[in-house]
Amino acid sequence: MKREISFIVNSQQMKLEVEGHLRLIDLIRDQLGLTGTKEGCGEGECGACTVIVDGKSVNACLYPALEIEGKTLITIEGLLEEDNKPSFIQKAFIDNGAVQCGFCSPGMIMSTKLY
Ligand code: FES
């Protein structure tokens, strides 16, 4: 059963209908098209899917999409500065070679943002 929710994502107000069983990562990637957030384990273990909800770190693979109602979501795309330049944290990762395959880098960068 679908329900309409409204929330803020990367400074943009959003209103969408979502299925009750949908996970936040599916909402982010499939409905919003923000594919920077990655799914690794899908079990809350690896942190690749980390996003920020109301200032707290969240594993989007475990978080019900309906729970985002009325909240503020920041994804890796939301860290970009003007002209789509990398943020200070993203640049620091690049400058220090803090990437192997890069798949989990968005999650590490989002976790770093909170410290
Ligand atoms: S995909 Fe591994 S914690 Fe979410």
Side-chain angles (χ1 to χ4, degrees):
M1 189 168 129
K2 285 189 173 183
R3 201 173 100 197
E4 187 176 88
I5 58 171
S6 62
F7 56 99
I8 295 170
V9 56
N10 301 335
S11 302
Q12 277 194 303
Q13 184 69 48
M14 199 65 64
K15 189 179 275 189
L16 289 175
E17 281 197 350
V18 299
E19 292 285 351
H21 66 274
L22 199 69
R23 303 174 305 162
L24 183 58
I25 192 166
D26 301 319
L27 173 75
I28 292 169
R29 291 183 54 85
D30 301 338
Q31 289 192 239
L32 301 178
L34 298 172
T35 55
T37 302
K38 306 299 186 201
E39 181 170 7
C41 66
E43 298 177 348
E45 297 289 335
C46 72
C49 65
T50 302
V51 294
I52 299 172
V53 175
D54 280 355
K56 293 185 178 148
S57 171
V58 161
N59 288 333
C61 69
L62 297 180
Y63 197 90
L66 289 177
E67 294 292 318
I68 202 74
E69 164 70 29
K71 295 180 178 163
T72 298
L73 166 65
I74 304 173
T75 68
I76 188 75
E77 290 87 351
L79 297 190
L80 291 174
E81 296 180 354
E82 284 183 30
D83 301 327
N84 283 337
K85 288 183 180 161
S87 69
F88 172 78
I89 298 168
Q90 291 164 309
K91 189 158 178 357
F93 269 65
I94 294 165
D95 291 348
N96 291 287
V99 176
Q100 289 179 11
C101 76
F103 190 80
C104 60
S105 296
M108 289 193 277
I109 289 168
M110 296 308 287
S111 292
T112 304
K113 171 79 176 154
L114 295 174
Y115 291 98

